[in-house]
Amino acid sequence: MRDILDIQKQLLPDMLEVMNKRYRVLQHILLLGSVGRRTLASALDMTERVLRSEVDFLKGQGLIETETSGMHISESGRELLEKLQPLIKEMLGLSELEKRIREHFGVEQVVVVAGDSDTSPFAKKELGRAAALMLRKHVTKHDVIAVTGGSTMAEVAEHLSTTSALKGSLFVPARGGLGESVELQANMIASKMAKKTGGKYRLLHVPDHLREEAYQSLIQEPNIHEMMDVIRSCRIVIHGIGDALVMARRRKVDSDSIDSLRSEGALAEAFGYYFDPQGRVVHKMPTVGLRLEDIQHCEVVIGVAGGSSKGAAVASVLKYGQEDILVTDEAAAVEMLKHALS
């Protein structure tokens, strides 16, 4: 494919430019669901006159449909986007980033989407869509799927829909609730995923961060113990990756503990464990939920994180070596490789 692209760039450079522009228009319409021309032009940083021409062409090809509520992508448009994706990835250099991360970190499958989730809400939406596709690809009927909280996982939930396998799945929170917006907590995201897919869900009504004595007491409760058995039976876990100090503050960890994390070189957080740049666990919070030893028994572990600010943290977690699949964005991928090779 690379050789063909190089030839096209020499002989028909305009064709690749036009193709990429129309791909972006279709992709944004897909991500936005139903959108007006003015909003779409602003999102694409394109004049309405130029966009009108592209929309007329795509509509004539049956790739988009227009209604009073706005434009939305047709089934033919969805199919075309899926077929075009490998070519666009090759054009943008994303396939090469995927290959380098796979080889360097030993991850079985890597998906890199364009952009930077820190600065582009559309990159974050595409990150969520790509992760939802990975989940649909690997799910089997009657799976138990454990999910964590956070804004990225909420975006994954937005892009799920009913399939025969997901409809029979049970979604559970991978851990208790953090002191954050209710809609970003693992309980809420598990229930939303179930509702979007026609699956089932169960909730874990405990806080994520506890003192050791409270933790030991709580896990002896029969209802909590039974729920933890269900959570630990998950075949698939899909989770976010956080910056260590940011996550410690979200857990309202005291200043002495934060100073300790900083001195230990804590860089990343996942499942209440804190990792240094070499991927070593340097600290563990007593949290109610999945532990690293539980993750080792999961058949499919999908990590989802993007944004240039997360690159170093993602690299740290990958060095620990538990991820089967990574879904990330271009900005994070570039930072990951910088840290890996420094």
Side-chain angles (χ1 to χ4, degrees):
M1 187 181 289
R2 170 53 61 184
D3 291 342
I4 294 172
L5 278 174
D6 289 341
I7 292 168
Q8 287 177 330
K9 284 177 182 176
Q10 289 180 299
L11 295 177
L12 299 163
D14 292 348
M15 184 187 78
L16 294 178
E17 184 180 330
V18 170
M19 182 170 64
N20 189 34
K21 180 165 61 175
R22 289 174 179 166
Y23 177 87
R24 289 179 63 234
V25 173
L26 283 173
Q27 183 189 44
H28 274 64
I29 294 173
L30 173 66
L31 293 174
L32 291 168
S34 182
V35 61
R37 189 173 292 167
R38 183 173 299 177
T39 301
L40 184 59
S42 175
L44 290 163
D45 196 21
M46 190 181 290
T47 67
E48 286 193 57
R49 182 182 63 81
V50 172
L51 179 62
R52 186 181 301 113
S53 173
E54 298 301 335
V55 165
D56 288 345
F57 173 83
L58 295 171
K59 185 179 177 182
Q61 296 296 312
L63 302 173
I64 61 173
E65 297 166 350
T66 55
E67 298 175 352
T68 53
S69 59
M71 297 173 281
H72 64 269
I73 197 162
S74 68
E75 193 56 41
S76 296
R78 288 177 184 272
E79 291 173 4
L80 181 65
L81 273 179
E82 191 173 333
K83 291 175 183 175
L84 267 178
Q85 192 174 55
L87 179 60
I88 297 295
K89 281 194 166 191
E90 196 71 45
M91 283 172 54
L92 298 177
L94 303 180
S95 298
E96 180 62 23
L97 281 175
E98 291 173 348
K99 178 184 175 186
R100 291 175 65 192
I101 292 170
R102 276 198 315 271
E103 291 177 348
H104 189 86
F105 294 100
V107 182
E108 185 178 324
Q109 187 170 4
V110 177
V111 178
V112 177
V113 304
D116 184 345
S117 298
D118 284 346
T119 58
S120 168
F122 298 100
K124 194 159 194 172
K125 285 180 181 296
E126 181 62 8
L127 188 67
R129 188 176 78 90
L133 285 172
M134 279 296 102
L135 180 56
R136 285 202 295 269
K137 181 179 177 181
H138 288 87
V139 72
T140 59
K141 204 157 190 179
H142 305 304
D143 274 342
V144 176
I145 302 169
V147 302
T148 63
S151 59
T152 301
M153 295 307 300
E155 201 62 65
V156 178
E158 283 291 336
H159 289 89
L160 286 174
S161 57
T162 303
T163 66
S164 58
L166 280 169
K167 194 171 183 179
S169 294
L170 172 65
F171 292 88
V172 296
R175 58 209 238 181
L178 286 172
E180 58 189 350
S181 302
V182 172
E183 62 270 18
L184 299 183
Q185 292 191 9
N187 270 338
M188 184 62 73
I189 290 171
S191 67
K192 185 172 184 177
M193 287 182 169
K195 289 169 185 174
K196 294 276 283 188
T197 61
K200 296 172 288 186
Y201 67 93
R202 291 189 62 181
L203 304 180
L204 181 63
H205 297 292
V206 296
D208 180 71
H209 179 46
L210 299 165
R211 293 183 181 277
E212 182 63 33
E213 57 271 24
Y215 169 77
Q216 292 298 337
S217 174
L218 193 58
I219 61 174
Q220 302 305 317
E221 290 292 325
N223 289 342
I224 300 299
H225 191 275
E226 186 267 338
M227 184 58 191
M228 287 309 306
D229 285 344
V230 173
I231 293 171
R232 288 171 181 155
S233 73
C234 67
R235 193 182 77 87
I236 298 176
V237 58
I238 178 165
H239 70 97
I241 296 168
D243 175 278
L245 299 183
V246 170
M247 292 303 297
R249 294 188 187 101
R250 280 172 60 186
R251 284 194 166 96
K252 297 183 170 35
V253 172
D254 61 82
S255 57
D256 287 345
S257 296
I258 287 179
D259 288 342
S260 176
L261 286 171
R262 191 178 283 115
S263 67
E264 290 169 332
L267 189 60
E269 185 275 344
F271 304 104
Y273 293 77
Y274 292 79
F275 304 82
D276 70 7
Q278 286 71 49
R280 296 177 298 221
V281 175
V282 295
H283 193 79
K284 174 185 179 258
M285 296 289 183
T287 62
V288 178
L290 285 180
R291 304 160 300 187
L292 285 183
E293 53 264 40
D294 301 320
I295 307 299
Q296 294 170 2
H297 301 296
C298 294
E299 288 186 33
V300 183
V301 181
I302 307 172
V304 189
S308 57
S309 64
K310 290 277 188 77
V314 177
S316 172
V317 172
L318 290 187
K319 285 179 182 177
Y320 183 79
Q322 282 300 120
E323 308 300 315
D324 299 305
I325 300 165
L326 172 69
V327 183
T328 189
D329 64 23
E330 184 179 6
V334 169
E335 288 299 313
M336 286 167 59
L337 290 168
K338 279 183 188 175
H339 283 271
L341 301 173
S342 62

